Amino acid sequence: MTIAHPFRLDPDGAVVTIRPGTPAHAAQVAGHVLACVHGERSLAPTYGIADPIGIGLDEDIAVAAIDNAEPDVLVLEIGAEIDADGRMELELEVTWATSDDT
């Protein structure tokens, strides 16, 4: 099991976990990419996006960033809205890409 991010507790006080390989896990991984700034991870300098707040972000940039950083995550659908402050809010549907090699 993977600990959910952000870290949180369920109503019973247990740590929320996500089963690896599930769509929820893929969504969490995609969220990590979009929440990181380029260069934030020194061993993966292209991981993330230039501006995780979302100003100037578009759907193509978000999909390209996920594809570059996490090629095992497949974006099925993406929707975007610009809020009053000019920030983009993304709604993603993702899953794990399958390989023909397995």
Side-chain angles (χ1 to χ4, degrees):
M1 297 301 276
T2 300
I3 295 175
H5 181 81
F7 180 85
R8 57 193 180 275
L9 302 176
D10 69 15
D12 295 327
V15 173
V16 175
T17 58
I18 296 174
R19 185 172 306 283
T22 62
H25 185 219
Q28 182 167 294
V29 169
H32 291 171
V33 173
L34 299 177
C36 282
V37 178
H38 279 220
E40 184 174 335
R41 295 184 175 192
S42 60
L43 297 177
T46 62
Y47 189 96
I49 56 177
D51 179 13
I53 293 174
I55 296 174
L57 181 65
D58 68 28
E59 294 171 356
D60 294 333
I61 291 171
V63 171
I66 293 167
D67 188 49
N68 175 60
E70 298 290 349
D72 292 336
V73 174
L74 177 65
V75 178
L76 300 173
E77 282 190 47
I78 186 168
E81 268 186 35
I82 305 295
D83 71 9
D85 295 327
R87 293 179 296 199
M88 176 171 282
E89 294 183 21
L90 292 174
E91 186 171 320
L92 297 168
E93 182 181 345
V94 297
T95 192
W96 294 104
T98 57
S99 172
D100 294 332
D101 299 332
T102 58

